[in-house]
Amino acid sequence: MEVKIQQPVEQQVSDTILAEPTKKEKIKKIKKTIISQKYLQTMALLGVVWMFIFNYIPMYGLIIAFKEYSIIKTISEAPWVGLMQFKEFIQDENFWIVLKNTLGISLIKLLIGFPLPIIFALLLNELTSMKLKKAVQTISYLPHFISWVVLGGILTTWLADIGVINDILLGLGLISERTNFLAEPDNFWAIVILSDIWKELGWSAIIYLAAIAGVSPELYESSTIDGANRFQKMWHVTLPSIRPTITILFILAVSGVLNSNFDQILILRNSLNESASNVIDIYVYQMGLQNARYSYATAVGLLKAIIAFILLLSANKITKKLNGTSLF
Amino acid sequence: MLFICAITVYPIWYVLVNSLNDGVDAMRGGIYWWPREFTLENYKAVFETPGIVTSFGVTIAKTVIGTITHVFFTAMVAYAISRRDLYGRNFYMLVGVITMFFSGGLIPYFLLIRDLGLFDNFLVYIIPTMFNFFHLIIFVSFFRELPTSLEEAAKIDGANDFEIFIKVIIPLSMPVIATIALFQGVYQWNDYFAGVIFVNNPDLQPIQTYLYKVVAESSSNQMMTNAAGSIATKTVTSQSIKLATMVVTTLPIMLVYPFLQKYFVKGMLIGSVKG
């Protein structure tokens, strides 16, 4: 009995393998798979539809950067103006201010803000008391959960002329007169960078701690036998082991370098510190949403995206050459 | 280390202490460690301001509904994509990966939201945040680790893929669901920008947007007039109300944070870039 049932099945299988599948058969087969996966396909396609609407339609909307769009017309009806919007931005008196602030804040943030979480994670790893380690960790990522609005409130209170920072500096005799720090453009970059580090230091360190936890203990044991001290172990074992993680996060940080933390700057800026606080994102917001110059603001935003993408590609290429790790 | 902890915690403590102090007295400054004239008047004033209570309701609603829909929808798409036999998988992944590097930017996005009729609509907090490709990747790598035998067993019992997702996958995925729910919950609770650009109606304004307006207004007032000590008649000042609002806004997150901590550390491990 068994043999009789098996035979035809085997024959069928070998037939389909032997026969060259024509296009029609292929399509039929694909149709069959898709129908058998109708639930899965629906689930996946819902996500694709969402991405089409909320990610791809705005990408299409970028073409208004090359048009003169107004609310009365649809995007396709608006007349083409070529690169006019871009030219206008480059000739605008704000161009250099905005560019200087965006690049300045971002590069300093990258320079100081990128290595600090790594150092913090390395130091944290050296703590031998598990209880203390956990407590330090818990406290260090607490600020990540506080919104920029609340932090902005704290900062404006502290940095005001009657605020805590003035009290401390006066008490130490470092300043002779109370000043409102947020009213002075000279201080703005420092405030933005320091407060951002304060908020995200512990949170950014988590990923490095995870990488450190993955380092094989044998490496430490053998380095102990070789007579390495704690610092040498950190330098010769831990750091090289987490280098791939550092590289990838560095590439990501470089590509996001022009995103100068919109939420934060929007709340800390005011009319008095404008010459230091006006970054591309803020400029786009002001021009586009407050002055309704949609095409102009889109062009400015697109220019930023292009620069960011070039930065991403170059960082990827450089790290690939230097140590063989890259994102793509 | 202890120094880092001290500077991390102190600003939060300062706000708490000052919000519990009498407003006029606090104007004199010098309250650093402990309230000088303890009072709950500031908090009473906060909850008596009608706008704040509505904003609170909006924030709670958007956080709860937004987080649930986000986790469910993203996990559902992720489950389908995590299945290796899904026809067209690579194409779907490509569609998603592109969105991680390119976007339309603020203005085209704003125009889209307006054209979809989401402006001044509660759904603007929910639908555009329903899905996140980065979270999808975390879900996918977690689903991959699950044993396939359970799915096969459910299939033999006659369950379709959607039922498998609901009845088998979700109950098995609580750690990753908790992580993503935490990420999204914090995002929903703290986001003020959607309320600033997509909503004009004050009844639809979340608490963070309300606070943003208070902070932005009061800081510019301080700049221009240096209003220190000008309000001396009441015991509650605009400054003390601001501080109390800040505490009330942050408290819910601070309260759930210790309970969820063990999940997000694990979740960061799942989602981390391991090189």
Side-chain angles (χ1 to χ4, degrees), chain B residues 191-251:
Chain B
D191 177 52
Y192 72 99
F193 193 59
V196 174
I197 59 171
F198 298 130
V199 172
N200 277 338
N201 181 356
D203 289 341
L204 276 178
Q205 173 181 263
I207 188 80
Q208 302 280 355
T209 307
Y210 177 90
L211 195 62
Y212 164 71
K213 286 177 181 163
V214 172
V215 171
E217 266 169 33
S218 73
S219 66
S220 57
N221 285 348
Q222 265 176 20
M223 307 274 146
M224 299 310 169
T225 58
N226 195 1
S230 64
I231 322 157
T233 42
K234 286 180 282 176
T235 57
V236 174
T237 64
S238 63
Q239 179 69 18
S240 61
I241 291 188
K242 192 173 100 184
L243 292 171
T245 315
M246 273 153 57
V247 173
V248 174
T249 311
T250 314
L251 208 61

Side-chain angles (χ1 to χ4, degrees), chain A residues 30 33-34 36-37 39-41 43-48 50-51 53-59 61-62 64 69 71 75 120 123-124 127 132 134-150 152-154 156-158 160-162 164 167 180 182-183 198 201 203 206-207 210 244-245 248-249 252 262-264 266-267 269-272 281 284-285 288-289 294 297-298 309 312 327-328, chain B residues 1-2 4-5 7-12 14-15 27 30 32 73 76-77 79-81 83 85-88 92 94-96 98-99 101-116 118 127-133 160-162 165 182-183 186 190-193 196-197 208 211-212 215 219 222-224 226 228 239 242-243 246 249-250 253-254 257 261 264-265 268-269 272-275:
Chain A
I30 292 168
T33 344
I34 291 179
S36 73
Q37 297 178 335
Y39 288 98
L40 279 182
Q41 289 290 346
M43 286 154 84
L45 281 173
L46 283 172
V48 173
W50 188 97
M51 285 192 275
I53 296 174
F54 290 99
N55 295 124
Y56 286 88
I57 292 181
M59 285 186 214
L62 276 173
I64 66 167
Y69 173 81
I71 316 178
I75 290 179
F120 181 67
L123 292 177
L124 205 60
L127 287 182
L132 184 65
K134 232 183 158 183
V136 173
Q137 247 182 305
T138 308
I139 289 171
S140 70
Y141 27 74
L142 199 68
H144 174 79
F145 292 91
I146 301 175
S147 72
W148 270 119
V149 178
V150 170
I154 297 180
T156 46
T157 316
W158 276 37
D161 37 14
I162 50 163
V164 178
D167 293 349
N180 188 333
L182 274 173
W198 179 79
L201 178 72
W203 186 253
I206 294 185
I207 215 160
T245 308
I248 287 187
L249 289 177
L252 291 174
F262 185 60
D263 275 2
Q264 178 192 14
L266 188 65
I267 199 143
R269 85 193 164 103
N270 55 49
S271 49
L272 298 173
D281 287 339
V284 168
Y285 170 69
L289 299 184
Y294 297 118
T298 306
F309 191 65
L312 168 75
L327 206 55
F328 43 79
Chain B
M1 282 296 146
L2 288 173
I4 290 180
C5 290
I7 7 179
T8 308
V9 175
Y10 183 66
I12 303 163
Y14 175 89
V15 172
M27 280 281 186
Y32 299 130
F73 188 71
M76 183 185 80
V77 180
Y79 173 64
I81 288 182
R83 288 274 295 263
D85 57 335
L86 180 79
Y87 184 78
Y92 299 147
L94 181 71
V95 167
I98 289 173
T99 66
F101 294 102
F102 299 99
S103 81
L106 180 64
I107 306 298
Y109 188 68
F110 173 80
L111 296 176
L112 170 77
I113 296 290
R114 205 196 53 195
D115 292 346
L116 287 174
L118 289 172
I127 298 174
T129 59
M130 244 163 94
F131 184 76
N132 178 322
F133 193 72
N160 64 42
D161 289 308
F162 186 69
F165 168 67
L182 174 81
F183 286 170
V186 170
N190 282 345
D191 177 52
Y192 72 99
F193 193 59
V196 174
I197 59 171
Q208 302 280 355
L211 195 62
Y212 164 71
V215 171
S219 66
Q222 265 176 20
M223 307 274 146
M224 299 310 169
N226 195 1
Q239 179 69 18
K242 192 173 100 184
L243 292 171
M246 273 153 57
T249 311
T250 314
I253 280 195
M254 293 295 121
Y257 164 74
Q261 202 198 347
F264 69 70
V265 174
M268 285 293 278
L269 288 173
S272 65
V273 214
K274 280 162 196 155

Side-chain angles (χ1 to χ4, degrees), chain A residues 266-280:
Chain A
L266 188 65
I267 199 143
L268 291 178
R269 85 193 164 103
N270 55 49
S271 49
L272 298 173
N273 62 26
E274 199 157 0
S275 64
S277 64
N278 203 355
V279 295
I280 292 182

